[in-house]
Amino acid sequence: MPRKPSFLSMPIPQRGCAPQVEAKLAEQGVSTVCVSAGCPNRAHCFSQGEATFLLLGQGCSRNCLFCAMGEEAVTPVDATEPQRVAQTVASLELSYVVLTSVTRDDLPDGGAAHICQTAREIRAHAPHTRVEALLPDFGGCRRALFLAATGSFSIVGHNVEMVPSLYTRYRSGGGFQRSLSVLHALGEHGIPTKSGFMVGLGETQEEVLSLISTLSDTGISVLTAGQYLPGRRGGITPKRYVSPEEFEIYAAHAQECGIASVRMGPYVRSSLNAADCFREICK
C-alpha cells in the first residue's frame, strides 16, 4: 500500500452542532452514510445542517469490493423508516438532505417506492428542506427509476463510481453502460442530474479525462470526484494517491466540458457541500 502523502492530512473539523445531530440520529434509530461508512466529512456536514440518510437497511444485495458498508444480510423493509427519517429532519431543522440506499435487487421495485415515500414524508414534515436523491441503478429498470424520482427531488444523482475498465475487478454487480443509461433517462425527463467517481484504484489519467467527457455527454449538472480510501470496515488497497494538482486538471476539463458545478479533491465525496452545488446550478 503506498504511503499516505502529506496532502491527505485532514485538519480536525469544528464540530459545532454535530454531536447533537449524531445523538438525535441514534435516538430516532435512523441511518446515515455519514456514520455507517465512516465518512471523514461527517462532522463538517452535520455542523452545516446537512446529512445523507441511508435507507433500506445496512445490507446490500451486491458485493462491490470498494464498499465500506460491510457484509450484513439484507433485511425486511421497515415501513416506519420514511416517517422516522422525516421526523428527524424536521426536529433537527436540517436545511438540505440527501437520500440514498443500499442496492436491493431482492425487492420487486428495488426499493423505489420506499425512497419516493421518504421524500414525500420529508416534504410533509419539513417543507423548507431541500431533498436530493442518490439512486442505485435498479438493475436498469426504468419504471423503478422513475418511480423513485417522483419524490420531487431538487436534484437526482447516480454515481458511476470508477472508470469503465475497473468494473469487472471491483464492481461486478454493476454495469457502466447501465449507469450511463440511468443518467440519460433522468436527464430526458428534465431532472437536474449529478454523478461522481473515485480515483486511485489503478485508472490512468487518460481514462479519467475520457470518463469526464462521457459523463458530460449525458447532460449532468454536477460532477464530483475524490480519492478512494478504505473505510473503517476495510476495503481494497488504493493503488496510488492522486495529488491536488491532478484533481485540478480533472476539474478544469470538467468545466471545459460545460458541467455547471464541479467538486474534485482528495476528500470530496458525492454528498459533500451538496447544497452549495445545487445553488450553483440554480444561478
Side-chain angles (χ1 to χ4, degrees), residues 120-137:
R120 288 175 175 167
E121 290 286 350
I122 293 174
R123 296 290 185 202
H125 286 78
H128 300 297
T129 300
R130 289 281 185 183
V131 186
E132 176 178 313
L134 178 57
L135 300 177
D137 62 26

Side-chain angles (χ1 to χ4, degrees), residues 95-272:
S95 59
Y96 198 98
V97 299
V98 181
L99 298 182
T100 191
S101 75
V102 291
T103 298
R104 295 294 301 266
D105 295 320
D106 59 304
L107 300 174
D109 68 348
H114 189 84
I115 295 169
C116 179
Q117 182 60 31
T118 305
R120 288 175 175 167
E121 290 286 350
I122 293 174
R123 296 290 185 202
H125 286 78
H128 300 297
T129 300
R130 289 281 185 183
V131 186
E132 176 178 313
L134 178 57
L135 300 177
D137 62 26
F138 296 110
C141 176
R142 285 202 172 199
R143 188 162 64 90
L145 176 66
F146 294 138
L147 172 59
T150 56
S152 297
F153 295 105
S154 295
I155 186 169
V156 179
H158 172 71
N159 289 339
V160 296
E161 304 293 7
M162 59 191 66
V163 301
S165 66
L166 297 178
Y167 266 62
T168 302
R169 187 183 312 171
Y170 297 127
R171 204 184 186 202
S172 57
F176 181 72
Q177 291 303 321
R178 184 195 301 162
S179 286
L180 286 185
S181 71
V182 167
L183 293 169
H184 275 295
L186 291 170
E188 289 170 2
H189 277 67
I191 303 170
T193 53
K194 173 179 181 177
S195 193
F197 61 89
M198 303 171 288
V199 292
L201 291 170
E203 70 288 324
T204 65
Q205 189 172 119
E206 289 73 21
E207 284 182 304
V208 175
L209 293 172
S210 176
L211 173 61
I212 292 169
S213 297
T214 299
L215 288 172
S216 172
D217 290 341
T218 70
I220 59 171
S221 299
V222 182
L223 180 61
T224 65
Q227 169 71 48
Y228 169 75
L229 296 170
R232 63 185 179 187
R233 299 181 184 179
I236 53 181
T237 301
K239 301 297 183 184
R240 70 186 181 105
Y241 294 113
V242 176
S243 69
E245 292 75 20
E246 188 169 337
F247 276 113
E248 289 176 4
I249 292 172
Y250 299 149
H253 181 61
Q255 290 163 348
E256 289 169 0
C257 288
I259 299 173
S261 181
V262 178
R263 294 287 188 279
M264 297 186 178
Y267 280 107
V268 170
R269 300 295 181 264
S270 60
S271 299
L272 178 65

Side-chain angles (χ1 to χ4, degrees), residues 25-87:
L25 293 170
E27 176 189 322
Q28 293 290 333
V30 297
S31 299
T32 63
V33 171
C34 323
V35 173
S36 296
C39 179
N41 303 311
R42 63 185 179 277
H44 167 77
C45 293
F46 288 166
S47 67
Q48 298 296 310
E50 301 176 21
T52 300
F53 289 90
L54 178 68
L55 307 177
L56 297 167
Q58 301 279 324
C60 185
S61 58
R62 298 187 189 173
N63 185 31
C64 299
L65 297 183
F66 59 84
C67 187
M69 291 305 301
E71 300 179 350
E72 287 86 348
V74 296
T75 55
V77 175
D78 181 354
T80 71
E81 184 175 57
Q83 187 172 46
R84 288 189 292 106
V85 168
Q87 290 171 339

